[in-house]
Amino acid sequence: MAAIKVADEVWVAAAALHRRYPDREDFTVAEIVGQAEAENATGAKSLRPGVQIHAYLHCVANRKPNPARLRMLTETSKGRRRLYRPGDPCHPDRGSGKHIPDRGEVPPAYGELIDWYRSDYAGEKAQPDVDPILSLLGLGKEIWADEDADAYVSRLRAGWD
């Protein structure tokens, strides 16, 4: 079985709950911990002790980091938890924290859960594999459409006396 970080295990449990119960807005920490135990993503005989504290504190975006800056869950007004969505309230010190497991750091069976999160839950658009620098090619060409390059340079140099 692939090694999985405790935070990723909590995310998997919360995501599985959201997917299974799409009408529910949030879940108790106990429900998330119970789902983590049921998922048994580690393949261990028992749940790791850090799962509960991660679901309660370490993974919660709108709580002060202690010490992790993870943003995998959001605490709702009822004191429950739901998966973090980009744009959710976030403690300032967690702004750049991880909010979704890296596909290579979870067992392959959970890749589809990550896809579900991105497309259905968080509504993230699929990002094409385009070089960001090359995507700038032709940007602003309409600005220069009516002016010859040599004439432009001559005009700029006219005031260089």
Side-chain angles (χ1 to χ4, degrees):
M1 180 70 62
I4 183 171
K5 295 176 180 173
V6 175
D8 293 343
E9 188 175 358
V10 167
W11 185 91
V12 163
L17 285 169
H18 277 290
R19 193 160 187 199
R20 185 173 296 127
Y21 305 104
D23 295 337
R24 299 246 336 247
E25 177 187 338
D26 53 18
F27 301 92
T28 65
V29 170
E31 288 174 311
I32 294 170
V33 171
Q35 183 64 38
E37 190 167 24
E39 288 291 329
N40 194 17
T42 64
K45 291 182 180 174
S46 62
L47 190 65
R48 294 183 283 184
V51 171
Q52 183 167 355
I53 191 65
H54 273 74
Y56 177 74
L57 176 65
H58 296 319
C59 291
V60 184
N62 49 345
R63 295 189 126 211
K64 183 178 179 184
N66 184 15
R69 296 179 311 128
L70 301 164
R71 299 176 294 153
M72 297 191 155
L73 304 174
T74 298
E75 183 174 27
T76 65
S77 60
K78 297 181 260 179
R80 296 172 171 221
R81 307 287 184 268
R82 69 173 174 80
L83 284 175
Y84 174 84
R85 286 184 178 107
D88 277 355
C90 184
H91 189 280
D93 294 338
R94 288 188 189 256
S96 62
K98 177 178 172 180
H99 78 281
I100 185 171
D102 294 326
R103 192 178 290 273
E105 294 180 348
V106 296
Y110 296 115
E112 191 228 340
L113 198 56
I114 293 171
D115 294 340
W116 164 84
Y117 171 84
R118 286 190 169 133
S119 65
D120 295 353
Y121 188 81
E124 295 178 6
K125 303 284 188 235
Q127 298 296 320
D129 293 332
V130 175
D131 183 301
I133 301 300
L134 292 178
S135 70
L136 298 174
L137 185 65
L139 182 67
K141 67 182 178 183
E142 68 279 356
I143 296 169
W144 312 108
D146 297 331
E147 186 164 12
D148 177 66
D150 291 332
Y152 172 73
V153 171
S154 295
R155 187 170 49 85
L156 284 179
R157 290 181 180 167
W160 284 9
D161 295 335

